[in-house]
Amino acid sequence: MTDLPSHTERQLGLVIDLDTCVGCHACVVACKGWNTQSQPSPLSDQDAHGAAPSGTFLNRVHAYEVMPQAGPAQLVHFPKSCLHCADAPCVTVCPTGASFKRAEDGIVLVNEADCIGCGLCAWACPYGAREMDMAEGVMKKCTLCVDRIYNETLPEQDREPACVRTCPAGARHFGDLSDPESEVSLLVEARGGMDLMPEQGTRPANKYLPPRPRDAWQGEVDVLAPWLEPVAEEPRGLLGWIDRTLARL
Amino acid sequence: MHPAPSLILFTTLSGLGFGLLAWLGIDLSPPEGGTAFAWLALAYALCLSGLAASALHLKRRERALKAFSQWRTSWLSREAWAALATLLLGGGYGLSLLLGYPLLPLGWLTTLAALGTVLCTAMIYAQLKSVPRWHHRSTPALFFAYALTGGALLYGQRWPALLLLALTAALQCWVWIDGDRRFARSGTTLASATGLGPQGSPRELFPPHTGSNYLLREMVFVVARRHAVKLRVLAGLLAFVLPAALLLATAISYFNFICLALHVAGVFLSRWLFFAEAEHVVGLYYGR
């Protein structure tokens, strides 16, 4: 049923550090690589090597420039995937029950075998987290690598989403956001983690850590400058004579 | 939003069909015999061709029957049930007319069910908070207005049609004007979408991919906005002004067909604008 669970035992999700992300897109590649093999159907691409390539991705990295009131502009790399919302609008609109939110861990999933490819869930999602697979005709979305995190055949350090496992900057964190003592919750608390589009009322599980304020120049910081002043302002000796003579002409 | 022909056809044709059923159901002296059959057949043809068009929109049509399962939360599922109920009730009422024993209360139920179906169709769009232009109570009102106006024109209800043409025109004009302000009123901006507002004013620097994608094709349709005003005027002329003028100028009934044809062309255009002009908040992430 596409009713949302009234309560989830846990709420797994991601915490994404906008201060640390370097925009390398490794998470995008790792996500595509894992999920194109592990889902019931591959994440298809269309015209992949042609003039107008297009494909299904569950994670994309945007880039924004933030212009503060004063000081230089700041570049922010901005990874975006499903936020596994508590009030997920994509789930309740689904006419077939293919979309659902799990009561045990809060992950929002699509059962491909029930999806009719109407696209209404993608319309309902304000974040653009769902993409229609044009080859398979069903909706695809981030599963929080549900087939990794509980997978006992994987080494323990690999039991986290592929994007988190691969991030070379340590900008992505995975954990239970409903537990106030979990590492991710403490991180959110310490860094002022925020919701995207809070006014949409979706109550997203994933949190974003805002970029830390940048340093600014304060007072005289260039300690070498006094020693780099030109020693002779006026030329002397032969050069001085030439300078004076030419000036008289 | 991408103005998919299948959805424009669906909302226009089925709206007209259910509007016709609504008028047929409350007719106190309903047609009998062959005439009743002809009206019913026309209404069914419109409703069913609309619903067939909507099925074309599905990528996996073979699973379409699953759409009946989630009526508790999904307006799309409720619409499927409402459409089925309307067609069954309308069929029963039609049978009673055909046999010469009109069961008027069954007709009233048909009218209610037909209006309920139109409501469900409209709510599919009105429920979407992510599309501020649609997320408004005027969306079901407008769908009702169009269905009843088209139905009245089709069923040859001259004065109700004239009154409804005027009312629907007024409502549509207000929706166009008010709709332009709804995105700003929703409070969703790139600053709230990225949470970067406290840091300063954000703007898109470069997109996450060089090509296009499903999101941009489906939800960031910007081509229409350029000619919106001209298209609105044209839609208003076709859907309301010309049919009303023709209806007033002549009482000859075969002009009704021309009125109807003009009106339907106008409704097609306004539905195209309904989709094409609707801005989805995901466009903000792409700087559009």
Side-chain angles (χ1 to χ4, degrees):
Chain A
M1 268 289 173
T2 50
D3 287 329
L4 287 166
S6 57
H7 171 76
T8 54
E9 285 165 44
R10 295 194 297 160
Q11 177 59 67
L12 299 181
L14 300 176
V15 173
I16 294 168
D17 191 341
L18 297 180
D19 196 63
T20 314
C21 176
V22 294
C24 69
H25 291 241
C27 54
V28 178
V29 178
C31 170
K32 179 93 169 177
W34 177 265
N35 286 296
T36 202
Q37 306 177 74
S38 73
Q39 296 208 11
S41 57
L43 291 175
S44 74
D45 293 315
Q46 282 71 43
D47 196 20
H49 305 285
S54 173
T56 320
F57 285 77
L58 312 181
N59 179 30
R60 298 191 186 260
V61 181
H62 294 253
Y64 301 105
E65 179 197 67
V66 187
M67 186 61 84
Q69 289 286 340
Q74 192 177 340
L75 167 58
V76 178
H77 298 288
F78 192 93
K80 183 163 62 64
S81 53
C82 173
L83 304 163
H84 299 279
C85 305
D87 282 330
C90 55
V91 169
T92 50
V93 299
C94 176
T96 69
S99 273
F100 60 103
K101 184 175 176 72
R102 302 193 344 160
E104 62 266 39
D105 53 17
I107 301 180
V108 176
L109 290 175
V110 175
N111 177 3
E112 285 188 26
D114 280 346
C115 179
I116 54 174
C118 70
L120 189 55
C121 55
W123 285 14
C125 173
Y127 307 107
R130 289 172 167 244
E131 297 192 16
M132 183 82 79
D133 190 312
M134 299 314 274
E136 196 61 20
V138 296
M139 199 55 76
K140 298 284 175 77
K141 70 177 295 300
C142 161
T143 66
L144 220 54
C145 284
V146 70
D147 46 357
R148 288 175 67 95
I149 58 178
Y150 299 117
N151 192 339
E152 291 182 359
T153 61
L154 291 177
E156 199 167 344
Q157 71 266 30
D158 286 339
R159 289 179 212 161
E160 57 182 12
C163 57
V164 177
R165 185 75 184 92
T166 206
C167 179
R172 303 178 74 95
H173 308 270
F174 165 69
D176 179 8
L177 286 145
S178 67
D179 171 10
E181 298 303 313
S182 69
E183 276 181 40
V184 280
S185 293
L186 293 175
L187 193 58
V188 169
E189 184 67 28
R191 294 276 309 280
M194 61 199 179
D195 290 347
L196 304 186
M197 293 188 187
E199 71 284 352
Q200 286 274 333
T202 53
R203 298 200 291 137
N206 286 12
K207 305 288 179 217
Y208 283 76
L209 307 179
R212 294 183 178 92
R214 288 289 179 264
D215 293 342
W217 298 120
Q218 280 166 354
E220 183 59 74
V221 287
D222 193 355
V223 290
L224 289 176
W227 282 279
L228 294 173
E229 295 283 325
V231 177
E233 294 293 342
E234 290 294 317
R236 282 178 293 178
L238 177 63
L239 268 180
W241 177 80
I242 295 171
D243 183 46
R244 285 194 301 278
T245 314
L246 287 173
R248 270 201 296 275
L249 285 176
Chain B
M1 308 295 285
H2 172 64
S6 58
L7 292 183
I8 296 170
L9 262 176
F10 155 56
T11 55
T12 309
L13 293 182
S14 71
L16 198 60
F18 288 117
L20 175 60
L21 275 178
W23 281 105
L24 201 61
I26 52 161
D27 193 345
L28 289 176
S29 51
E32 287 177 9
T35 327
F37 180 78
W39 279 121
L40 249 301
L42 181 59
Y44 266 57
L46 286 167
C47 294
L48 288 174
S49 56
L51 292 171
S54 81
L56 286 183
H57 181 69
L58 305 180
K59 297 271 185 302
R60 300 297 290 250
R61 266 157 252 158
E62 73 278 14
R63 300 173 183 158
L65 283 181
K66 287 180 193 278
F68 281 93
S69 67
Q70 304 301 313
W71 49 271
R72 285 200 302 191
T73 61
S74 169
W75 283 105
L76 186 49
S77 192
R78 286 172 197 160
E79 186 202 30
W81 278 108
L84 184 67
T86 312
L87 293 179
L88 287 177
L89 285 168
Y93 181 55
L95 199 65
S96 79
L97 295 183
L98 209 61
L99 296 175
Y101 300 102
L103 294 169
L104 290 186
L106 199 55
W108 303 334
L109 279 178
T110 308
T111 301
L112 266 181
L115 293 178
T117 311
V118 175
L119 174 73
C120 290
T121 307
M123 284 308 294
I124 293 173
Y125 307 107
Q127 69 179 335
L128 299 175
K129 229 177 164 182
S130 49
V131 185
R133 192 185 282 272
W134 291 349
H135 186 60
H136 196 273
R137 61 187 69 182
S138 66
T139 302
L142 195 63
F143 273 67
F144 274 137
Y146 270 116
L148 288 173
T149 310
L153 274 173
L154 186 54
Y155 200 47
Q157 308 284 310
R158 189 159 184 265
W159 288 109
L162 275 170
L163 181 69
L164 279 164
L165 278 172
L167 283 175
T168 311
L171 181 62
Q172 174 68 85
C173 286
W174 179 78
V175 166
W176 277 330
I177 294 165
D178 188 62
D180 289 343
R181 305 190 191 115
R182 286 181 194 156
F183 200 99
R185 238 187 280 150
S186 76
T188 300
T189 58
L190 183 57
S192 80
T194 58
L196 293 171
Q199 271 72 35
S201 55
R203 71 177 177 104
E204 195 200 29
L205 196 59
F206 46 83
H209 40 92
T210 49
S212 188
N213 71 354
Y214 170 73
L215 300 173
L216 291 169
R217 286 189 300 267
E218 185 73 9
M219 282 168 282
V220 195
F221 185 84
V222 292
V223 184
R225 301 180 196 170
R226 217 172 305 151
H227 303 294
V229 176
K230 279 181 218 164
L231 290 171
R232 283 178 184 181
V233 171
L234 194 60
L237 280 175
L238 284 170
F240 309 116
V241 179
L242 292 177
L246 260 180
L247 268 186
L248 280 174
T250 167
I252 307 165
S253 61
Y254 62 72
F255 269 107
N256 285 352
F257 176 74
I258 301 172
C259 290
L260 184 72
L262 287 169
H263 176 73
V264 170
V267 178
F268 269 122
L269 200 49
S270 85
R271 277 294 141 77
W272 189 84
L273 282 169
F274 176 79
F275 288 101
E277 285 193 293
E279 311 91 341
H280 194 287
V281 293
V282 77
L284 292 168
Y285 286 111
Y286 288 88
R288 297 181 215 182

